[in-house]
Amino acid sequence: DSGVTQTPKHLITATGQRVTLRCSPRSGDLSVYWYQQSLDQGLQFLIQYYNGEERAKGNILERFSAQQFPDLHSELNLSSLELGDSALYFCASSWGSSNQPQHFGDGTRLSIL
Amino acid sequence: KNEVEQSPQNLTAQEGEFITINCSYSVGISALHWLQQHPGGGIVSLFMLSSGKKKHGRLIATINIQEKHSSLHITASHPRDSAVYICAVTPWGGSQGNLIFGKGTKLSVKP
């Protein structure tokens, strides 16, 4: 058990809809990372937050947004969903903002119909 | 060309064999990570290293910074080692810790 909790585990929705994925980091960890794993692109970095502030941005679409709350949990919001957004979305956490081992959640599997 | 390349893509071994998975990268890095992803999808961090060698049980990870190359070795492989092994790097510089991933090596160990 990594100590990182992601909910929900599975999500099925339709094109054009909006969903929110939630992540609770391991106790004591200040950084939260979001990654997307799709069949064609593999694992890709989306965004990092450190202690409530955005620290790094990767290949995150404008339709996607994230935030980290004062209690350090994070949410990833995906809107105007397209078929190609179907993927596994992982959250990871670490104590520091860089050069730290990352602890991964079990992922949220998003299926767009 | 991907910034992180792994070989082989697929690997089938017999139980007990010594296994090596290779990773080459083309960017400056702060650290290199080896991750394990089981068929259920969960990802476990195996190693984070920036120099030399680390060992944990039957797993050994090495890195050669000058050659931009890392290897993951599994001694006395077992069917429970069957998984996808992913090499990832933290790019050098800044205060960010995001990872750039290889495409993974799918390992199947037969009894």
Side-chain angles (χ1 to χ4, degrees):
Chain A
D1 181 14
S2 68
V4 178
T5 304
Q6 285 189 251
T7 56
K9 289 195 187 315
H10 301 277
L11 201 45
I12 302 173
T13 189
T15 55
Q17 295 299 304
R18 183 179 190 275
V19 296
T20 297
L21 312 185
R22 183 188 167 102
C23 171
S24 293
R26 204 175 61 136
S27 177
D29 284 356
L30 299 177
S31 263
V32 169
Y33 310 81
W34 286 98
Y35 298 99
Q36 179 194 57
Q37 185 177 37
S38 60
L39 281 175
D40 53 345
Q41 298 286 334
L43 272 161
Q44 290 194 98
F45 167 67
L46 296 178
I47 198 163
Q48 177 194 1
Y49 280 84
Y50 176 74
N51 203 20
E53 296 198 358
E54 183 183 304
R55 185 55 62 100
K57 218 167 187 177
N59 299 321
I60 187 165
L61 300 172
E62 283 191 17
R63 300 184 285 108
F64 296 1
S65 65
Q67 54 184 326
Q68 186 179 29
F69 294 87
D71 67 352
L72 300 177
H73 91 271
S74 177
E75 293 181 355
L76 179 67
N77 300 297
L78 315 176
S79 62
S80 302
L81 287 168
E82 301 175 0
L83 293 176
D85 298 328
S86 295
L88 253 177
Y89 291 84
F90 286 100
C91 166
S93 73
S94 66
W95 175 76
S97 65
S98 64
N99 273 354
Q100 302 276 320
Q102 294 186 18
H103 307 274
F104 285 78
D106 289 336
T108 292
R109 187 173 295 277
L110 176 63
S111 298
I112 313 298
L113 303 180
Chain B
K1 189 179 187 300
N2 293 328
E3 292 164 302
V4 182
E5 299 273 1
Q6 285 185 239
S7 64
Q9 272 188 289
N10 294 283
L11 185 53
T12 300
Q14 287 297 127
E15 184 173 355
E17 284 184 1
F18 180 84
I19 288 162
T20 296
I21 299 170
N22 295 300
C23 174
S24 296
Y25 52 92
S26 58
V27 296
I29 68 169
S30 299
L32 183 140
H33 304 249
W34 281 103
L35 310 171
Q36 180 191 56
Q37 185 170 27
H38 278 284
I43 295 176
V44 174
S45 179
L46 299 174
F47 295 103
M48 187 188 86
L49 62 168
S50 54
S51 66
K53 177 178 169 177
K54 285 191 176 181
K55 183 175 189 292
H56 185 252
R58 295 179 296 104
L59 302 179
I60 303 166
T62 64
I63 187 169
N64 185 318
I65 297 294
Q66 286 72 30
E67 294 186 5
K68 294 189 173 179
H69 181 269
S70 175
S71 293
L72 177 68
H73 305 286
I74 305 175
T75 62
S77 59
H78 190 275
R80 64 174 174 267
D81 297 326
S82 298
V84 175
Y85 292 83
I86 302 169
C87 173
V89 300
T90 302
W92 176 259
S95 58
Q96 60 211 44
N98 56 284
L99 302 179
I100 303 173
F101 299 88
K103 294 201 179 296
T105 295
K106 186 174 182 179
L107 171 65
S108 178
V109 181
K110 307 291 185 191

